[in-house]
Amino acid sequence: MNTDVREEIRARIDIADVVGRHVKLRQTGRNFSGLCPFHNEKTPSFTVSPERGTYHCFGCGAGGDVFRFIMEIEGLSFPEALKRLADECGVKIEENRSFEKNSSLVPRDRLAAMNKDAAEYFYASLKNSDSAKQYFKDRGLTGSTVKEFSIGYSP
């Protein structure tokens, strides 16, 4: 994901507006304050700084940017929060290419075979190294543990 997209969204989104949908905010100078939505409190310790594009609660320590706020308050993952805010402010996000979408990338079964070959190589390398075998023995690993987990050695 391109960081330019994140910065464009941050520039277009007013964090005080986003937070204000969930928290009753009161302007205090350049910032806003209100009751923290992440813990119970009677006096406001939650602040939003539109200048910095951040929020912070002095009571529970919650804080971050507009993406973190949406993630926490709505229980979203970062990609979900990014998409929601991008849709809201009209920023277009290019979808990432994946193995399933692009056959020119290495297929998963080929990657699995490559990993298996590498594991076998490192396991075989362990058999040829007395110092590596002694190291594992000193660490309390038995031969059956090494075999069971296919523990290897890189010369």
Side-chain angles (χ1 to χ4, degrees):
M1 199 266 319
N2 193 338
T3 55
D4 292 341
V5 171
R6 278 197 303 198
E7 294 308 316
E8 186 175 350
I9 293 169
R10 272 196 194 106
R12 290 187 186 191
I13 291 277
D14 182 354
I15 190 170
D17 288 342
V18 173
V19 172
R21 291 181 214 141
H22 302 277
V23 177
K24 185 177 178 185
L25 295 174
R26 186 179 63 122
Q27 190 159 9
T28 53
R30 289 188 253 166
N31 297 328
F32 293 84
S33 66
L35 297 176
C36 180
F38 303 113
H39 77 282
N40 291 327
E41 63 181 4
K42 293 179 182 175
T43 58
S45 63
F46 185 81
T47 62
V48 177
S49 171
E51 247 177 48
R52 291 190 310 245
T54 61
Y55 70 94
H56 181 76
C57 176
F58 293 94
C60 70
D65 61 8
V66 69
F67 302 106
R68 170 63 56 193
F69 182 80
I70 289 294
M71 289 167 59
E72 294 294 321
I73 200 79
E74 296 185 17
L76 301 176
S77 67
F78 178 76
E80 292 168 331
L82 183 78
K83 179 154 179 34
R84 172 152 316 151
L85 292 170
D87 289 346
E88 185 178 317
C89 70
V91 172
K92 184 171 171 36
I93 299 176
E94 285 186 36
E95 296 294 323
N96 286 339
R97 296 183 335 177
S98 70
F99 293 118
E100 293 79 21
K101 291 181 183 174
N102 189 335
S103 61
S104 68
L105 297 175
V106 180
R108 290 181 191 264
D109 58 340
R110 180 66 188 125
L111 288 174
M114 290 166 42
N115 279 328
K116 183 177 182 262
D117 291 344
E120 289 171 357
Y121 168 79
F122 293 121
Y123 183 72
S125 296
L126 175 61
K127 290 181 180 178
N128 298 324
S129 173
D130 292 334
S131 62
K133 284 191 263 186
Q134 185 60 48
Y135 172 80
F136 288 128
K137 187 176 182 179
D138 292 346
R139 301 284 300 207
L141 296 174
T142 64
S144 62
T145 301
V146 169
K147 185 175 181 179
E148 180 182 350
F149 293 100
S150 299
I151 297 173
Y153 163 73
S154 176

